[in-house]
Amino acid sequence: MPVYEFRCEACGPFDAHHAMAQVPRSQDCPVCGANARRVFSAVGLSRANSARARVIDDAARTADAPDVVRSLPRQPGAAPAVTRDPRHAKLPRP
């Protein structure tokens, strides 16, 4: 998600994340609540390829609100263990 720069007359510049289709011309200042206008600045270019950029963006996105993990990831190529021992059938199942 792109980062846009806004400037508050009282507090100075601050950054905000917005989707490209939904970026406002002005936004409330997070410090004083005054109306701050968007500043047009230089584009931030990166030398990262798309996979690396995606990892960087995911890490930045989850820094404040981590994703919820509901289960452990499966090992690639690992088949579930099958046992033929009749005593194992009596064990409690998860």
Side-chain angles (χ1 to χ4, degrees), residues 29-76:
C29 175
V31 177
C32 67
N35 194 13
R37 295 192 53 123
R38 186 173 68 176
V39 177
F40 292 96
S41 57
V43 177
L45 299 176
S46 174
R47 296 179 60 125
N49 61 19
S50 61
R52 184 177 294 165
R54 192 175 322 115
V55 169
I56 292 169
D57 289 342
D58 288 345
R61 180 182 49 83
T62 60
D64 296 328
D67 290 337
V68 177
V69 178
R70 302 207 188 281
S71 65
L72 293 175
R74 294 194 50 102
Q75 294 293 330

Side-chain angles (χ1 to χ4, degrees), residues 71-88:
S71 65
L72 293 175
R74 294 194 50 102
Q75 294 293 330
V82 178
T83 179
R84 306 265 188 252
D85 191 339
R87 294 174 294 176
H88 292 169

